Amino acid sequence: MRLSKRGEYGLRAMIALAEPAEKSSAPQMMQIKDIAAREQISAKFLEQILLALKNAGMLHSKMGVGGGYYLARSAKEITLGQIFRVLDGPVAPIKCVSHMAYEPCGCPDEETCGLRLTMNDVRNAIADILDNTSLSDVTKRQHAVRKKLGIK
Amino acid sequence: MRLSKRGEYGLRAMIALAEPAEKSSAPQMMQIKDIAAREQISAKFLEQILLALKNAGMLHSKMGVGGGYYLARSAKEITLGQIFRVLDGPVAPIKCVSHMAYEPCGCPDEETCGLRLTMNDVRNAIADILDNTSLSDVTKRQHAVRKKLGIK
DNA sequence: AATAAAGTCTATTACAATACTAGACTTTCA
DNA sequence: TGAAAGTCTAGTATTGTAATAGACTTTATT
């Protein structure tokens, strides 16, 4: 049940890109090195991650001087589940309950396998959260916590 | 978010050990090779897994001819969460929300980190299921499904 | 046109984890 | 006493993770 560094960095980067877009509805462009510096991540590693996200259609980019990355859709329309699946693969803890990468596990009878039934509940619980939490939800929540703790 | 083979086999074995105990309340003893055969698992690999579970106090064993393994407590008192943690470690998707193996992640401010807040929800959702599902719950559910599908 | 700043793409690498396998040892029962 | 069972430690092949490296392309500025 682990989120990889790849997944963690990618999610953090996407949240960072969504953050300024909170107020101005125009998509905010940021450069790899700035995100890397802010999140304390290897820029070279982050580069690969953002590229993957771009190839998955979640980011757009601009090359050359003054270029950078920006969200391909509004922060409300991008969920953590979408990002997670691009970077870390299926959400399901075991293949036999995966929606995006189903494979039979070794149990004698899948239909009545108690482990499978429970792991299916787990999968759904995780997917419920990740697929119903948008980048916008995350940045809103961050701002709410900051406000509660006194400006900052 | 993956259950390892180690975790999968261990959980399946524990469920197998709980299964016959469903009717007779006396703990049922089973041998490694029988569990391995029934669940189609390498007996040698399963051996290590059961040993780990034994050392964690969840199984008892009897050596020598006619020996085997049996649950150390009743199937009602053993949860999937306990088993999972022995075999696969913390349930949390990221260290900074782990109850059993907390470590700070790299984010600038943990208290207001949106990723952390969401991953904490995920952790709790998983733990809620795994810690509130006992081996007895699993075997009961299996029987219910079997009945629904017509005896078997 | 030249240069520098930015993203693009592919390959390689170091390390750790996973999923086993092997084999010697100990305990127990018949 | 011998076979059947669990115990314990070590080793190994494969894969996954987390990077690192470097050459290439595009674009803005001077």
Side-chain angles (χ1 to χ4, degrees), chain A residues 16-151:
Chain A
L17 281 162
E19 186 88 18
E22 178 72 8
K23 302 200 167 174
S24 65
S25 73
Q28 175 74 12
M29 191 155 71
M30 288 181 79
Q31 296 183 349
I32 292 179
K33 62 173 183 203
D34 294 331
I35 303 177
R38 168 179 160 155
E39 303 288 337
Q40 309 259 68
I41 304 174
S42 149
K44 222 50 181 128
F45 189 21
L46 183 59
E47 180 187 305
Q48 294 177 356
I49 296 169
L50 295 186
L51 206 50
L53 257 6
K54 188 202 162 171
N55 291 332
M58 325 197 63
L59 284 179
H60 286 157
S61 63
K62 189 169 177 256
M63 269 185 149
V65 178
Y69 282 95
Y70 54 97
L71 301 183
R73 284 167 277 144
S74 97
K76 275 183 200 160
E77 293 167 317
I78 301 178
T79 68
L80 300 195
Q82 291 161 6
I83 301 167
F84 181 94
R85 288 189 182 84
V86 168
L87 299 174
D88 274 13
V91 153
I94 191 170
K95 291 264 180 75
C96 62
V97 299
S98 173
H99 288 200
M100 78 176 277
Y102 168 82
E103 260 181 56
C105 56
C107 61
D109 181 16
E110 273 205 9
E111 230 173 340
T112 61
C113 171
L115 181 59
R116 190 172 148 277
L117 292 166
T118 310
M119 287 302 152
N120 191 48
D121 291 346
V122 172
R123 189 222 88 97
N124 289 337
I126 298 171
D128 266 4
I129 296 174
L130 261 25
D131 289 335
N132 290 306
T133 304
S134 69
L135 289 174
S136 163
D137 293 328
V138 174
T139 57
K140 269 185 208 146
R141 194 169 177 187
Q142 286 185 158
H143 288 133
V145 172
R146 279 188 196 127
K147 211 166 250 173
K148 196 180 244 173
L149 294 178
I151 313 164

Side-chain angles (χ1 to χ4, degrees), chain B residues 49-81:
Chain B
I49 296 168
L50 295 186
L51 206 50
L53 257 6
K54 188 205 163 168
N55 291 333
M58 323 196 66
L59 284 179
H60 286 157
S61 62
K62 190 168 175 259
M63 269 185 152
V65 178
Y69 283 94
Y70 54 97
L71 300 183
R73 284 167 277 144
S74 96
K76 275 182 199 159
E77 293 166 319
I78 302 178
T79 68
L80 300 196

Side-chain angles (χ1 to χ4, degrees), chain B residues 9-30:
Chain B
Y9 296 164
L11 286 162
R12 294 234 301 261
M14 291 296 275
I15 293 169
L17 282 162
E19 185 88 20
E22 178 71 8
K23 304 200 164 172
S24 64
S25 72
Q28 175 73 11
M29 191 154 72
M30 287 180 80

Side-chain angles (χ1 to χ4, degrees), chain B:
Chain B
M1 313 267 168
R2 210 83 38 207
L3 176 67
S4 71
K5 285 292 174 187
R6 182 177 153 90
E8 178 192 335
Y9 296 164
L11 286 162
R12 294 234 301 261
M14 291 296 275
I15 293 169
L17 282 162
E19 185 88 20
E22 178 71 8
K23 304 200 164 172
S24 64
S25 72
Q28 175 73 11
M29 191 154 72
M30 287 180 80
Q31 297 183 349
I32 293 179
K33 62 173 182 201
D34 293 331
I35 303 176
R38 170 181 159 151
E39 302 289 338
Q40 307 260 67
I41 304 174
S42 148
K44 222 52 183 124
F45 189 21
L46 183 59
E47 179 188 304
Q48 294 178 354
I49 296 168
L50 295 186
L51 206 50
L53 257 6
K54 188 205 163 168
N55 291 333
M58 323 196 66
L59 284 179
H60 286 157
S61 62
K62 190 168 175 259
M63 269 185 152
V65 178
Y69 283 94
Y70 54 97
L71 300 183
R73 284 167 277 144
S74 96
K76 275 182 199 159
E77 293 166 319
I78 302 178
T79 68
L80 300 196
Q82 291 161 7
I83 301 168
F84 181 94
R85 288 188 182 86
V86 168
L87 299 173
D88 276 12
V91 153
I94 190 170
K95 292 265 179 73
C96 63
V97 299
S98 172
H99 289 199
M100 78 175 277
Y102 168 83
E103 262 181 54
C105 56
C107 61
D109 180 16
E110 272 206 9
E111 231 173 342
T112 62
C113 172
L115 181 58
R116 190 173 147 278
L117 292 166
T118 310
M119 286 303 153
N120 191 48
D121 291 346
V122 172
R123 189 223 88 98
N124 289 336
I126 298 171
D128 266 3
I129 296 175
L130 261 24
D131 290 335
N132 290 305
T133 304
S134 68
L135 289 175
S136 163
D137 293 328
V138 174
T139 58
K140 268 184 207 146
R141 194 169 176 187
Q142 286 185 159
H143 288 132
V145 173
R146 279 187 198 128
K147 212 167 249 173
K148 197 180 242 174
L149 294 177
I151 312 165
K152 260 201 184 175

